[in-house]
Amino acid sequence: MPIYKLNGIFLLMGFNCGIVGLPNVGKSTLFNALTLTNAEVATYPFTTIDPNMGIVEVPDERLYKIGEIIKPKKLTSTSIEFVDIAGLVKGASKGEGLGNEFLAHMRNVDAICHVVRCFEDKNIAHVEENINPIRDIETVNLELIIADLNTVGKRIDKLNRLSKTGDKKARETVNLLEKIKEILEKGEWLGPYLKEIPEVLKEIQLLTAKPFIYVANVDEESMLEDSDYTKQVKEVGKKDGVPVVKICAKVEAELSELTISDRKEFIKELGLKESGLDKFIREGYRLLDLITFFTTVGPEVRAWTVKRGTRAQKAAGKIHSDMEKGFIKAEVISYEDLIQTGSVQLCKEKGIMRIEGRDYIVQDGDILHFRFNV
């Protein structure tokens, strides 16, 4: 598992997210603010040519609270990788603008974040000359659907050649892909059909089968009260079954330059409860059905990300394959119990620490110590 270091905190990769949208909607500004990097930002289209990648620490107060009790030498947080994809335009799936090459960068991400412009600024050009969130969403969504249709069509052609040689599995796969093609040709997303055709979708990494979030990039005036533009995005999100997060990329950029304490104070002054990044990460975890568990081994407290419903033995494998292979048991303390007692030792003495087997389903906030033998 990749490990990074940011601001003195070690990071473990949790999931990655591709940022897409039309040119000049604020993608690179948001990316810079979230990842503390310096991707080029300009007022003209196609500033982003190669995809930019950046790592973001997942803010989790529980990690720091556990650290206050354990007092480790090192805290290791889980993290998100953001991939800033070049702005898409009509015909991107057919090579217009920066074309298919950049759609391909999204195929390996866990989720897609579609940034929609919901602010006016005469100094920043819009490729369609005016602000229209519904039109912009439809433009990008159509390009993703067409890109998937191209992918499915090529796969069907390849498998049809194999099926002529008597390959029964190829014929079965073609039948599934034909169903997928019918769905896409209706202009529909594949999300609602995942249970019917999961294996094929996993293999060919279709864009419209990935979890999706709309980010309404607003101005400061719309941070507390929704503008008509923001309302339009929320209406589309409700219709499409896609969550919507409202973020002001400009404010997030300002927040990224502050210390943690100043950042909290600024957020409070704005009348907000949390930053856009916090909202986005929380929604991303919910969308991908992820949870966090913690380990406290030696001088380190470490956060790990797994799918909800993951069993203890599989969670041990997240740390090291030997732990999964030689799993014996898991010693479990809930986060709430540790905070209430204030000591791992007291949790043991009071019988609060539980011994669980390989089939125990890990809960969000569990503090685990795995026993194994290889």
Side-chain angles (χ1 to χ4, degrees), residues 262-369:
D262 287 344
R263 194 179 306 160
K264 289 181 178 179
E265 187 62 32
F266 187 25
I267 291 170
K268 187 177 179 181
E269 288 176 3
L270 291 170
L272 304 173
K273 294 181 179 178
E274 58 186 347
S275 71
L277 172 60
D278 291 342
K279 288 188 292 185
F280 181 86
I281 290 175
R282 189 179 67 251
E283 191 58 50
Y285 266 60
R286 187 198 65 78
L287 185 67
L288 293 170
D289 208 19
L290 302 173
I291 64 169
T292 300
F293 72 89
F294 304 91
T295 57
T296 58
V297 179
E300 179 182 29
V301 173
R302 183 179 287 204
W304 305 85
T305 299
V306 292
K307 280 276 190 182
R308 190 179 303 277
T310 297
R311 299 185 185 277
Q313 185 175 16
K314 197 71 176 177
K318 184 83 173 179
I319 300 171
H320 198 285
S321 58
D322 284 349
M323 283 191 175
E324 181 176 4
K325 188 187 301 182
F327 181 93
I328 299 173
K329 63 182 179 181
E331 298 172 353
V332 185
I333 300 173
S334 73
Y335 170 76
E336 291 77 13
D337 286 339
L338 178 64
I339 297 302
Q340 189 173 354
T341 60
S343 164
V344 171
Q345 187 58 37
L346 280 175
C347 286
K348 293 179 179 179
E349 292 173 2
K350 293 184 176 182
I352 295 173
M353 186 186 77
R354 311 186 312 276
I355 303 299
E356 300 287 356
R358 68 184 67 235
D359 291 328
Y360 169 71
I361 296 176
V362 176
Q363 301 298 305
D364 188 39
D366 275 352
I367 300 157
L368 303 176
H369 182 72

Side-chain angles (χ1 to χ4, degrees), residues 19 29-36 55-56 82 252 256 276-277 280:
I19 303 177
T29 300
L30 179 63
F31 174 82
N32 287 342
L34 296 179
T35 62
L36 303 178
I55 307 298
V56 180
F82 284 102
E252 291 297 321
S256 69
L277 172 60
F280 181 86

Side-chain angles (χ1 to χ4, degrees), residues 217-283:
N217 186 15
V218 304
D219 53 27
E220 292 184 52
E221 289 73 25
S222 303
M223 291 178 67
L224 295 177
E225 188 172 341
D226 290 346
S227 66
D228 288 340
Y229 295 143
T230 308
K231 290 176 182 176
Q232 289 175 32
V233 177
K234 288 186 174 180
E235 287 173 8
V236 174
K238 185 177 181 180
K239 177 177 68 71
D240 293 346
V242 175
V244 176
V245 177
K246 183 169 66 173
I247 292 179
C248 177
K250 184 179 178 182
V251 168
E252 291 297 321
E254 294 174 10
L255 285 170
S256 69
E257 297 177 355
L258 302 176
T259 63
I260 293 176
S261 58
D262 287 344
R263 194 179 306 160
K264 289 181 178 179
E265 187 62 32
F266 187 25
I267 291 170
K268 187 177 179 181
E269 288 176 3
L270 291 170
L272 304 173
K273 294 181 179 178
E274 58 186 347
S275 71
L277 172 60
D278 291 342
K279 288 188 292 185
F280 181 86
I281 290 175
R282 189 179 67 251
E283 191 58 50

Side-chain angles (χ1 to χ4, degrees), residues 68-82:
E68 289 173 4
I69 292 173
I70 305 295
K71 293 181 172 51
K73 292 181 180 178
K74 182 168 70 171
L75 292 176
T76 302
S77 175
T78 188
S79 65
I80 298 174
E81 180 183 47
F82 284 102

Side-chain angles (χ1 to χ4, degrees), residues 120-157:
E120 298 274 3
D121 190 330
K122 62 182 180 181
N123 297 315
I124 302 177
H126 191 292
V127 290
E128 297 290 348
E129 297 184 355
N130 67 317
I131 310 301
N132 186 328
I134 294 176
R135 176 205 59 211
D136 295 351
I137 288 173
E138 289 175 347
T139 296
V140 171
N141 287 355
L142 180 59
E143 292 307 318
L144 300 184
I145 288 172
I146 294 173
D148 278 353
L149 273 170
N150 291 338
T151 299
V152 169
K154 290 176 182 177
R155 183 58 64 96
I156 288 174
D157 290 342

